[in-house]
Amino acid sequence: MSVTPPFAKKIPHTFSHHQDTRHDHYHWLRDDERSNAEVLAHLEQENAYTEQVLAPQSTLQHTLYQEMTARLRPDDSSVPYLKNGYCYQSRYQEGLEYALFERYPEGKPEQVALLLDGNARAQGADYYELAQVAISPDQQLLAFAEDFISRRHYQIRIKSLQTGALFEEVLENTSGNLVWANDNKTLFYVYQDQDTLWPYRVYRHTLGTAQSQDVLVYEETDMSFYTSLYKSRSQDYIIIGGWSTLSSEINLLSANFPHQATQLFLAREREHEYEVEHFQDTFYIRSNKDGANFGLYETPTLTTVPSQWHTKIAPRSEVLLEGFTLFNDWLVVEERSQGLTQLRQLQLEGAIEYTLRFDDPTYVTWLDINADPHSVWLRYGYSSMTQPVTLYEINLHTQERRELKRDYAGEQFKASHYCSERLWVSARDGVKVPVSVVYRADLFNKAANQSAAKGANPLLIYGYGAYGASMDSDFSAARLSLLDRGFVYAIAHVRGGEELGRDWYEQGRLLSKLNSFNDFIDVTQALTAQGYGDKNRVYANGASAGGLLVAGVLNMAPQLYHGAVVAVPFVDVVSTMLDETIPLTTGEFDEWGNPAQATFYHYIKSYSPYDQVQPQAYPHLLVTTGLHDSQVQYWEPAKWVAKLRELKTDNHLLLLHCDMTTGHGGKSGRFEAYHELARDYAFLLTLAASA
C-alpha cells in the first residue's frame, strides 16, 4: 500500500527588500518557542511518513547498526595525559553511553579516582553533553559545563574533589567556556544572550557565592565578534579573545591577581586576525599582518606596535600556519600544504629543525593534548582514509617515536583491504580542486586500469566548503559498511574551506560563493568520467553549511545525482541573514554577506536553496534536522522540504526526519548516533540496489 506524504498548508506571506518580493508560503512553520501545536503536529506527520517509508529498511538498518557498534571497543578508554602531577583519562564501561572522567597520581594507576560519571549526570535526560571540564590549579576542584537540551544552553557546576559534593551555585546561560584563576576560588566564564546565544560577556565568579553577585569584567559590543577564554601556556594569564570572520582582539587578565582590570593586547583592526600565547616570559603571536597564511611572531613585552614583534616564522604563500604549541626548548607548529597537514618542530634557541613525514597519499595529522610544557615528549595524532586514528608520541630531542594507541576498527579490519587516492580535478575556471577517495582494494584494479566492475559501483560524494574549515581525509570505521558493499567514497575539498590556504577560503565566500557549488558539480562529473562511479548511482552528502552546498547543487544540477542525504541544512539563507534575532546571524555577515545591502541580497538569493526551488525533477532525498537546533533552525529544512514537495515534478522519495529531542549535532551518547547513521546508510544502499 502506498503511503501519502504530508503536504504543508500554504499561508501567503511576503518579504520585500531592494525592490524584490519573495513569497514564503511556509513561513508559518517557524516557531521560536517550539510550542505551536500545529507546527509540532506537522513535524510529527513528517516523521511518521518517513518512518513508514523506511520501515522495509529496518532489517538493513539493524544490521548496519550492529556492524558499526561492533567496531567500537566496548570498554574503550583514552590514553592518560599528565598535568600537575595527575594523569587524566576518559573511560567507557561496556554498554553505557557516556564516559567516566578519571585521574590518578602520576605513576600510581592503581589509585584511580572517578571525577565525573557522565551516565549519572545524564540520567533521565533525552540529551546530555559534557562540554568543558577544568581542574583548579590546586587539583581540588572540578568545574564543568553541561547542556541538557541540545541548544548550547550550558550550565556550569563546581564539584569538590575532596568530598565529592557539588557546590550550591549553578551558573546559567553560559557558552560553556570557563577558566580558573590561580587562587583556586575564582572562576571566569563567558555569558551568552538567552535568545541569540551570542557569547559577549566575561564574568568573575567567586566560589560559594550566587551568580547574581558575579562581577562583569569584559563586555563585547560588536555582535559580529564572539567572546571566548583560555589560559596561557605559562599559566600567568587568562586570555579573552574576541573573534570575528576577518579580525580579532585579545585582552589579558592576570591569573595571579584576578581582581585586576583587563589589559588590551592589541586593538582590533579590520582584516587583522591574531591569537596570543604566553610562555617563558614571552608573548607568541600567530598573525596575518604580513601575509594571508599567517606568520608567527614573538615579543617579551606588551607592545601595541606590531612592527616591533620579532618574526619567528614568516608567512608563506604555499603553506598555511594553522597552530602551534610550546615546550621548554621547542616550538612545534601545525601547518598545511597542498591540502595536507604536517608537523614541524623548531628549536627555540638554535637552528635544529625536524619535520614529521607520512606515507599515505591523503591523511591528517594534528597536535594532541600536550598539557605539560616541560615534557620532552610531543603527542600527536594521525589518521588516513585507510588507517584508524593513532596516537603517537615522539621524543623532541632524540626523535624516538612510540605508538600509544590505535583505534579499534573491528576484528576483521585490515588496512590493506582498502585503497585511498588524492586526485586533482580541473574546475570550469581551470582551478584544480583536490579530491580524496577511498574504496575497497578489490573493487577494481586501478593498476591495470581495467576491470569488469570499473565504473559500475555506487559513488558517495561529501562536501562542506565554508568558514575556512578544512575537511580532512580521516578514517571512519562506520564508513566501512559502505565500502564493503561496493561504494566509493569521495571528499570534494571545494573552495570555501582552507585546504589550500587562506586564498582557497577567500575564493569560496561572499561574492565568490558560487565557486563552492561549481566545484562540487565539476568534481562529480570528473569522478564518473574517470570511472570512480556509475553515473546513475551517484549520491551526495552534506551537513549544516555542507547541507547548503548539497542543496544548492541539487537545484543547479539535479540530474547528476540519484539521491542525497542532507543533514541540518542551512537552506533559507536570505531570510536568516536578514534576521539578527537568529543565533549566529550577525557573526556571519563576513562569511555570506549582509543582504541588507542590495549586492549581497541578490547574490545570496541566486544560490539560496529555499529561494531557488523550481518545478523540476529532484533526486531521492533524506533530510534530517533537530527541533532544538541552535545553529540551523529546524524550520529551514522543514520549509525547504515543504516547498520541494509542492514544486518537484518527479515521484522520487522526499523524506524529512525531525528529531524532537535534539539539536544540531543529533543524538548524544556513544551508541545512539549510530542509529541515525545506520538509517542514512540504509537509505543510500537501498537506493543503490534499486537503480
Side-chain angles (χ1 to χ4, degrees):
M1 176 182 289
S2 62
V3 183
T4 303
F7 282 82
K9 68 179 182 181
K10 297 169 65 175
I11 299 178
H13 191 93
T14 60
F15 295 100
S16 295
H17 297 86
H18 310 297
Q19 292 76 53
D20 177 67
T21 298
R22 292 181 300 125
H23 298 275
D24 187 357
H25 300 308
Y26 303 107
H27 176 74
W28 68 271
L29 285 169
R30 173 174 176 172
D31 173 25
D32 292 73
E33 302 302 320
R34 276 83 172 162
S35 60
N36 183 289
E38 190 174 13
V39 171
L40 295 175
H42 175 74
L43 296 175
E44 294 287 9
Q45 290 169 11
E46 289 281 11
N47 286 347
Y49 172 65
T50 296
E51 186 176 350
Q52 286 178 289
V53 171
L54 297 183
Q57 301 175 16
S58 59
T59 299
L60 177 56
Q61 287 185 29
H62 178 73
T63 299
L64 291 168
Y65 175 80
Q66 294 295 335
E67 285 180 9
M68 294 173 184
T69 54
R71 298 187 189 113
L72 302 175
R73 196 176 297 282
D75 56 350
D76 202 7
S77 62
S78 65
V79 177
Y81 66 88
L82 178 64
K83 184 174 183 179
N84 295 333
Y86 285 89
C87 294
Y88 292 89
Q89 66 178 17
S90 295
R91 182 173 61 85
Y92 288 99
Q93 290 181 322
E94 185 170 355
L96 297 181
E97 290 283 353
Y98 299 98
L100 310 176
F101 185 47
E102 302 174 328
R103 76 174 181 185
Y104 55 85
E106 182 180 4
K108 299 178 180 179
E110 71 281 359
Q111 296 182 20
V112 65
L114 176 64
L115 304 183
L116 202 66
D117 182 349
N119 303 285
R121 297 297 303 167
Q123 192 169 8
D126 292 322
Y127 177 90
Y128 178 74
E129 178 195 356
L130 176 64
Q132 188 173 348
V133 174
I135 305 290
S136 61
D138 66 1
Q139 311 295 298
Q140 300 304 308
L141 299 169
L142 169 68
F144 58 97
E146 304 171 298
D147 178 9
F148 289 94
I149 62 172
S150 189
R151 195 164 167 76
R152 296 188 294 141
H153 280 296
Y154 294 101
Q155 297 177 335
I156 294 175
R157 303 294 302 264
I158 304 166
K159 179 180 179 179
S160 168
L161 298 181
Q162 292 178 309
T163 67
L166 290 173
F167 284 74
E168 289 187 4
E169 62 260 37
V170 180
L171 309 182
E172 304 279 4
N173 294 321
T174 84
S175 69
N177 192 194
L178 54 100
V179 176
W180 284 102
N182 291 340
D183 64 0
N184 304 299
K185 63 180 181 181
T186 304
L187 189 69
F188 291 92
Y189 65 93
V190 178
Y191 180 90
Q192 62 186 16
D193 184 272
Q194 295 184 50
D195 298 319
T196 65
L197 305 183
W198 175 42
Y200 70 110
R201 289 176 174 172
V202 175
Y203 279 94
R204 184 178 69 235
H205 175 75
T206 301
L207 197 64
T209 65
Q211 186 176 13
S212 60
Q213 300 178 37
D214 292 350
V215 177
L216 178 67
V217 298
Y218 175 84
E219 182 170 14
E220 178 59 65
T221 58
D222 184 340
M223 289 188 70
S224 67
F225 279 76
Y226 293 173
T227 304
S228 65
L229 297 169
Y230 61 97
K231 203 168 191 179
S232 69
R233 189 75 161 164
S234 65
Q235 305 297 302
D236 291 331
Y237 291 99
I238 294 166
I239 299 175
I240 302 174
W243 318 101
S244 74
T245 302
L246 294 179
S247 57
S248 51
E249 180 177 272
I250 297 295
N251 281 269
L252 304 177
L253 273 167
S254 171
N256 297 309
F257 302 98
H259 291 269
Q260 288 185 354
T262 61
Q263 186 172 7
L264 178 66
F265 185 84
L266 182 67
R268 66 191 63 179
E269 182 180 347
R270 180 76 174 173
E271 297 188 0
H272 181 208
E273 298 175 65
Y274 75 96
E275 60 186 85
V276 172
E277 185 56 276
H278 181 261
F279 185 61
Q280 293 179 335
D281 298 321
T282 300
F283 290 99
Y284 292 83
I285 308 103
R286 176 179 172 267
S287 163
N288 66 349
K289 73 181 183 71
D290 297 325
N293 282 339
F294 291 85
L296 187 65
Y297 307 87
E298 59 183 7
T299 176
T301 59
L302 276 169
T303 174
T304 58
V305 184
S307 61
Q308 296 179 6
W309 299 347
H310 170 72
T311 301
K312 192 74 175 176
I313 300 174
R316 293 148 292 172
S317 60
E318 301 299 324
V319 180
L320 174 67
L321 176 60
E322 291 193 324
F324 65 97
T325 193
L326 292 151
F327 293 85
N328 283 351
D329 302 312
W330 297 92
L331 163 70
V332 182
V333 294
E334 188 174 345
E335 300 171 323
R336 186 179 297 272
S337 176
Q338 292 296 296
L340 298 176
T341 49
Q342 65 183 25
L343 300 178
R344 191 161 58 100
Q345 66 173 90
L346 301 90
Q347 205 172 24
L348 281 175
E349 302 295 336
I352 298 176
E353 177 181 323
Y354 300 103
T355 301
L356 277 67
R357 303 293 181 184
F358 307 101
D359 298 325
D360 286 297
T362 180
Y363 66 87
V364 59
T365 186
W366 62 92
L367 294 168
D368 199 68
I369 299 174
N370 289 280
D372 181 7
H374 309 298
S375 176
V376 298
W377 293 94
L378 167 74
R379 283 196 180 180
Y380 67 95
Y382 176 83
S383 179
S384 74
M385 299 185 87
T386 62
Q387 298 285 345
V389 170
T390 307
L391 184 64
Y392 295 98
E393 62 180 9
I394 189 168
N395 189 295
L396 291 164
H397 298 292
T398 68
Q399 297 301 287
E400 174 193 353
R401 189 182 77 165
R402 54 197 187 197
E403 180 178 314
L404 301 178
K405 181 187 177 184
R406 183 179 298 263
D407 277 3
Y408 182 71
E411 293 296 330
Q412 307 303 316
F413 172 76
K414 290 185 179 180
S416 60
H417 289 173
Y418 304 91
C419 181
S420 66
E421 297 182 61
R422 168 57 66 96
L423 311 175
W424 295 87
V425 168
S426 293
R428 62 194 66 184
D429 60 358
V431 171
K432 292 190 178 297
V433 179
V435 184
S436 299
V437 179
V438 64
Y439 50 86
R440 273 195 67 97
D442 57 2
L443 181 62
F444 42 74
N445 188 343
K446 294 295 293 184
N449 199 33
Q450 59 184 3
S451 169
K454 184 173 174 63
N457 53 276
L459 168 66
L460 176 60
I461 307 173
Y462 171 83
Y464 189 77
Y467 303 111
S470 297
M471 296 296 103
D472 288 309
S473 309
D474 58 2
F475 184 80
S476 167
R479 190 190 299 146
L480 300 177
S481 291
L482 286 182
L483 304 184
D484 290 345
R485 289 172 172 83
F487 263 77
V488 168
Y489 180 88
I491 302 174
H493 303 283
V494 302
R495 280 172 279 187
E498 217 165 44
E499 287 90 341
L500 299 184
R502 185 70 180 194
D503 184 58
W504 198 246
Y505 171 46
E506 297 293 341
Q507 291 183 51
R509 73 177 183 97
L510 296 179
L511 298 177
S512 299
K513 183 60 192 171
L514 282 171
N515 285 331
S516 302
F517 305 101
N518 294 337
D519 288 352
F520 196 89
I521 292 169
D522 296 344
V523 165
T524 299
Q525 294 174 317
L527 288 176
T528 55
Q530 294 177 35
Y532 285 93
D534 178 356
K535 65 180 182 179
N536 296 313
R537 294 199 292 167
V538 179
Y539 305 93
N541 178 220
S544 195
L548 161 63
L549 171 70
V550 171
V553 163
L554 296 184
N555 281 331
M556 299 170 188
Q559 74 282 358
L560 295 180
Y561 306 92
H562 185 227
V565 175
V566 189
V568 293
F570 179 35
V571 287
D572 193 9
V573 189
V574 177
S575 296
T576 292
M577 294 307 298
L578 282 167
D579 189 345
E580 296 186 13
T581 69
I582 294 177
L584 302 184
T585 293
T586 55
E588 301 201 356
F589 287 145
D590 285 324
E591 179 69 30
W592 314 105
N594 186 347
Q597 302 173 30
T599 300
F600 286 115
Y601 173 90
H602 292 292
Y603 188 81
I604 294 171
K605 184 183 175 184
S606 74
Y607 66 73
S608 176
Y610 183 62
D611 293 290
Q612 295 304 320
V613 172
Q614 54 192 293
Q616 65 177 350
Y618 283 88
H620 297 278
L621 271 170
L622 172 59
V623 183
T624 64
T625 186
L627 183 65
H628 299 288
D629 195 334
S630 61
Q631 291 163 268
V632 177
Q633 310 302 310
Y634 77 86
W635 56 79
E636 293 199 35
K639 288 167 50 178
W640 181 51
V641 167
K643 191 172 182 180
L644 281 168
R645 192 164 279 139
E646 174 196 352
L647 295 179
K648 74 189 189 79
T649 60
D650 58 84
N651 60 358
H652 293 155
L653 295 176
L654 175 56
L655 306 176
L656 171 67
H657 176 75
C658 179
D659 193 308
M660 307 302 281
T661 63
T662 67
H664 199 65
K667 296 287 190 185
S668 62
R670 190 181 184 210
F671 299 101
E672 279 295 311
Y674 287 97
H675 286 294
E676 298 174 336
L677 194 56
R679 175 201 61 210
D680 297 349
Y681 280 11
F683 177 75
L684 294 171
L685 288 164
T686 302
L687 289 179
S690 66

